[in-house]
């Protein structure tokens, strides 16, 4: 049986030999987050504050979120190579900008009838960059669009909205629908003979819908607190910064040596799994210390840590806090 992301995080943290969760770090960062929450700085509104994101009133918002999260993986590049940039933006925000540009150019990019058969040339135009650099894993992105588009047309009458309606306000149900029907979202691994899962993109898909619609209408999920953080390669850097995670010397040597880890590698699995468990512990710590009317969950803590990594990028580089490098479609 494949363990859920939450169960996987607990198991991996218990058996890990390369990554350690530090109780003092949980206490210190938990205290900081508690202050932020009580000061009203933690909010579901963060999604709508980014100008590249749709508003819940946009009739195409749900389809936009699905397409973007289907493509939301692997934006990093090697030190000696130029990164993929669109209108001056990099990474995830470059992807959002590229999709928004395509919409302005009347490309039917949100329609599964289009993207289930989109050609290399058509998608290449959507992803064209400022500097001629191709988006990483272009072929995998093309394949992912073909795959999810075909499944929507075959199983959901060509509409992702039908997936959401079928879930009946349950984030766990939507997670299962997505991972059962769209292979490219099936983010799983084997760790010490245990089948584990992370479902980073499937969970961020649920989280983005929840945040965009502010837990109402299509985005109302009565069990949203069942979701974990989104196990990627950037949030662990914030956890390192705050001394929540500690890496072994062997792991640090691998990361500092610019080694590319295979998806499913033991070290990679430990970083991702321990990140999930660390954020769960942070969430529990904060919930015990904030006002009862304040909303706290793993998604909001993930948003805080991801935004922190972006706003403190230079400092994190100066402190030589490495991120693990993996080329894969799952994050």
């Amino acid at each position: 049986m494949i363990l859920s992301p939450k169960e996987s995080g607990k198991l991996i943290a218990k058996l890990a030999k390369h990554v350690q969760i530090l109780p003092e770090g949980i206490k210190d960062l938990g205290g900081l987050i508690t202050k932020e929450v009580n000061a009203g700085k933690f909010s579901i509104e963060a999604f709508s504050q980014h100008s590249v994101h749709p508003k819940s009133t946009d009739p195409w918002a749900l389809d936009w979120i699905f397409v973007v999260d289907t493509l939301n993986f692997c934006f990093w590049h090697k030190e000696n190579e130029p990164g993929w940039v669109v209108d001056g933006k990099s990474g995830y925000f470059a992807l959002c900008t590229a999709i928004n540009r395509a919409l302005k150019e009347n490309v039917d990019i949100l329609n599964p009838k289009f993207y289930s058969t989109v050609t290399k040339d058509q998608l290449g135009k959507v992803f064209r960059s400022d500097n001629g650099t191709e988006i990483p894993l272009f072929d995998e992105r093309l394949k992912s669009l073909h795959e999810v588009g075909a499944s929507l047309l075959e199983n959901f009458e060509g509409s992702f909205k039908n997936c959401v309606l079928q879930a009946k306000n349950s984030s766990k149900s939507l997670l299962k629908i997505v991972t059962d029907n769209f292979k490219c979202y099936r983010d799983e691994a084997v760790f010490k003979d245990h089948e584990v899962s992370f479902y980073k993109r499937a969970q961020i898909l649920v989280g983005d819908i929840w945040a965009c619609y502010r837990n109402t209408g299509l985005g109302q999920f009565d069990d949203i607190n069942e979701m974990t953080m989104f196990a990627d390669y950037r949030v662990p850097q914030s956890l390192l910064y705050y001394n929540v995670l500690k890496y072994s010397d062997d792991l640090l040597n691998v990361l500092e040596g610019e080694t590319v880890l295979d998806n499913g590698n033991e070290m990679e699995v430990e970083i991702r799994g321990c990140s999930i468990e660390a954020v769960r512990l942070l969430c529990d710590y904060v919930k015990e210390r904030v006002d009862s009317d304040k909303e706290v969950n793993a998604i909001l803590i993930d948003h805080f840590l991801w935004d922190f990594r972006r706003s403190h990028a230079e400092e994190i580089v100066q402190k030589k806090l490495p991120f693990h490098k993996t080329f894969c479609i799952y994050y």
Side-chain angles (χ1 to χ4, degrees):
M1 186 182 74
I2 300 173
L3 297 177
S4 71
K6 187 177 289 188
E7 293 167 331
S8 297
K10 290 181 182 179
L11 175 86
I12 293 166
K14 182 179 178 181
L15 301 179
K17 65 179 183 181
H18 302 291
V19 184
Q20 184 181 358
I21 300 173
L22 302 178
E24 280 302 308
I26 296 291
K27 181 180 176 182
D28 291 344
L29 179 55
L32 172 62
I33 293 174
T34 298
K35 291 178 181 176
E36 294 279 307
V37 173
N38 282 330
K41 295 180 181 178
F42 254 54
S43 173
I44 195 173
E45 299 292 329
F47 182 91
S48 61
Q49 289 171 3
H50 288 295
S51 62
V52 294
H53 287 158
K55 303 291 186 289
S56 60
T57 52
D58 294 322
W60 42 267
L62 189 65
D63 294 320
W64 186 98
I65 291 169
F66 181 64
V67 168
V68 166
D69 284 333
T70 296
L71 299 166
N72 181 11
F73 56 83
C74 194
F75 299 110
W76 69 274
H77 57 91
K78 294 181 179 179
E79 295 289 338
N80 59 345
E81 296 176 353
W84 179 66
V85 179
V86 178
D87 288 349
K89 296 181 176 64
S90 61
Y92 167 74
F93 290 112
L95 172 64
C96 297
T97 301
I99 296 301
N100 290 341
R101 179 179 62 190
L103 292 175
K104 290 177 182 176
E105 294 173 349
N106 296 316
V107 179
D108 206 10
I109 191 62
L110 304 185
N111 185 346
K113 289 182 180 179
F114 173 78
Y115 60 73
S116 63
T117 59
V118 63
T119 67
K120 276 192 172 187
D121 287 345
Q122 288 171 322
L123 193 60
K125 185 177 180 182
V126 170
F127 288 151
R128 68 188 186 275
S129 67
D130 298 357
N131 53 8
T133 299
E134 184 176 86
I135 189 172
L137 301 185
F138 175 90
D139 289 342
E140 287 79 358
R141 286 181 162 86
L142 180 71
K143 180 180 178 182
S144 295
L145 284 176
H146 287 172
E147 175 194 297
V148 301
S151 184
L152 282 179
L153 293 170
E154 182 178 349
N155 302 310
F156 299 99
E157 299 178 357
S159 173
F160 179 64
K161 182 179 180 180
N162 289 331
C163 298
V164 177
L165 294 174
Q166 188 175 310
K168 297 179 180 179
N169 304 113
S170 168
S171 63
K172 289 178 70 175
S173 294
L174 183 55
L175 189 68
K176 187 174 190 321
I177 290 167
V178 170
T179 54
D180 281 353
N181 288 279
F182 309 115
K183 185 180 178 182
C184 65
Y185 279 91
R186 218 167 291 160
D187 180 9
E188 300 163 353
V190 175
F191 179 71
K192 299 186 186 299
D193 297 323
H194 297 275
E195 292 182 294
V196 297
S197 68
F198 305 97
Y199 299 146
K200 184 265 184 182
R201 288 197 298 110
Q203 290 196 103
I204 207 169
L205 172 63
V206 174
D208 284 350
I209 296 168
W210 172 77
C212 179
Y213 291 92
R214 297 172 179 79
N215 199 30
T216 62
L218 290 170
Q220 180 183 335
F221 297 112
D222 300 328
D223 56 354
I224 194 64
N225 292 344
E226 292 299 310
M227 298 296 99
T228 72
M229 61 81 71
F230 314 130
D232 69 350
Y233 53 90
R234 290 304 193 185
V235 170
Q237 284 183 293
S238 294
L239 294 173
L240 279 178
Y241 179 95
Y242 282 110
N243 295 313
V244 171
L245 295 184
K246 181 181 179 181
Y247 293 170
S248 69
D249 290 341
D250 287 344
L251 177 53
L252 285 172
N253 287 336
V254 167
L255 299 185
E256 289 166 358
E258 297 294 314
T259 302
V260 177
L261 299 175
D262 290 334
N263 181 228
N265 172 283
E266 184 176 274
M267 290 179 170
E268 182 234 20
V269 168
E270 287 191 14
I271 292 170
R272 299 183 76 201
C274 288
S275 296
I276 288 174
E277 177 65 359
V279 171
R280 184 191 70 79
L281 293 171
L282 283 167
C283 199
D284 288 349
Y285 183 95
V286 174
K287 280 183 176 180
E288 292 176 358
R289 291 164 175 81
V290 297
D291 301 334
S292 59
D293 63 329
K294 303 292 186 182
E295 185 163 34
V296 180
N297 58 39
I299 295 173
L300 294 176
I301 292 177
D302 182 284
H303 287 176
F304 170 81
L305 294 170
W306 193 80
D307 287 341
F308 178 88
R309 165 58 185 77
R310 284 187 64 86
S311 61
H312 292 75
E314 289 186 14
E315 187 179 356
I316 284 174
V317 170
Q318 289 171 0
K319 286 179 174 288
K320 297 183 178 179
L321 301 175
F323 69 92
H324 68 281
K325 300 171 177 64
T326 300
F327 284 115
C328 74
I329 67 171
Y330 300 116
Y331 62 98

